[in-house]
Amino acid sequence: MAIARFKDLCIDDTDSDRGQNFWSKVLGLGIHRDSGRSGDEEYGWLAGTTPQQRVWINEVPEARTVKNRVHLDVLATSLAELEALGARHVEDFERWTVMAAPDGQEFCAFLRDVVPPYRLKDLVVDSQDPGPIAQWWHSVFGGELDRHDVHPWWWVAAIPGAPFESMDFVEVPEPKAAKNRVHWDVQVDGAAGVQVLLGAGASLLRAKGGDISWHVMADPDGNEFCVFDD
């Protein structure tokens, strides 16, 4: 039984306007803006046709310094299309191409003759030991857990409400070395739901209060995620 529900995605960028313009076109989402409670600041997000097709572009002061621990897989008709938006070619593989966004963070492009309006394919998480963390997120979200017959790849597909095909976990040699620049938000049922997550093995990095209305947590691999309990 799932103990949390997928809520939305968040991407860090040192320039939120640049990030919104780039990712809105890459993912096929619209840009929305509103004023903060004080009315003297504006914030923006990307949104599609369902509540889960929402991506927050968070402006952060620190630049990217290491390879992304979490990245997006996207659909595209050509690499030239992505390069015209400001992406940079990094490396070719048989089924996908690694690209870099204007701020340097990696994402993978899967080319198709025809792509849907909404183009997010998968959410990919690096791990030194992908099996246990894939199983952990399967216990949190539900869905369908599977693994590759040959490669050390695991995935959770058909996550209820998730706006992507699967959450993929791939083996890498290096440990996590910096705060992730892509993370996801989850929704739980009240304070009891927060305690269930903690009991399942999540760590509390910062409790809600003050200027944030959510809890900041980390999974057993150290990947940050935000928990909303209202």
Side-chain angles (χ1 to χ4, degrees):
M1 181 178 177
I3 60 178
R5 300 177 296 280
F6 180 89
K7 189 175 187 295
D8 37 40
L9 282 173
C10 302
I11 301 175
D12 289 353
D13 198 311
T14 53
D15 184 335
S16 59
D17 287 338
R18 176 188 63 186
Q20 288 169 20
N21 289 329
F22 176 77
W23 288 109
S24 67
K25 295 178 176 67
V26 170
L27 297 174
L29 298 174
I31 299 176
H32 299 259
R33 299 185 189 278
D34 202 350
S35 297
R37 292 182 180 178
S38 64
D40 59 1
E41 60 181 18
E42 187 179 65
Y43 61 95
W45 68 97
L46 312 181
T49 58
T50 72
Q52 290 81 13
Q53 290 179 2
R54 180 169 50 197
V55 179
W56 298 92
I57 308 297
N58 299 330
E59 187 159 316
V60 296
E62 64 274 4
R64 172 189 171 277
T65 57
V66 297
K67 171 180 170 287
N68 268 27
R69 195 78 175 171
V70 179
H71 73 263
L72 306 184
D73 286 349
V74 305
L75 300 172
T77 56
S78 71
L79 300 182
E81 166 197 355
L82 296 171
E83 290 170 336
L85 299 176
R88 174 176 53 85
H89 176 269
V90 176
E91 188 174 2
D92 291 316
F93 289 86
E94 183 178 356
R95 294 178 49 239
W96 64 85
T97 302
V98 181
M99 305 291 288
D103 72 332
Q105 63 178 298
E106 303 87 356
F107 65 99
C108 291
F110 288 72
L111 300 185
R112 302 287 188 269
D113 292 334
V114 178
V115 297
Y118 177 67
R119 301 181 180 187
L120 177 58
K121 183 180 183 296
D122 309 299
L123 179 64
V124 185
V125 183
D126 290 352
S127 175
Q128 290 183 298
D129 189 5
I133 197 61
Q135 294 173 56
W136 193 83
W137 278 106
H138 175 246
S139 73
V140 171
F141 280 147
E144 301 171 2
L145 178 68
D146 207 345
R147 64 170 298 175
H148 197 276
D149 292 336
V150 178
H151 300 291
W153 303 338
W154 292 69
W155 61 89
V156 183
I159 296 172
F164 42 77
E165 295 176 14
S166 62
M167 192 172 182
D168 302 344
F169 299 85
V170 299
E171 186 177 84
V172 296
E174 67 275 2
K176 185 175 184 290
K179 171 179 169 286
N180 290 340
R181 296 182 76 81
V182 177
H183 75 267
W184 51 96
D185 297 340
V186 308
Q187 181 73 50
V188 298
D189 295 324
V194 172
Q195 293 305 312
V196 170
L197 272 175
L198 293 172
S203 301
L204 182 64
L205 303 181
R206 181 182 174 185
K208 75 173 183 179
D211 61 342
I212 63 171
S213 58
W214 56 86
H215 303 275
V216 182
M217 292 192 181
D219 69 14
D221 259 14
N223 298 302
E224 302 87 359
F225 65 101
C226 294
V227 180
F228 290 74
D229 62 0
D230 297 328

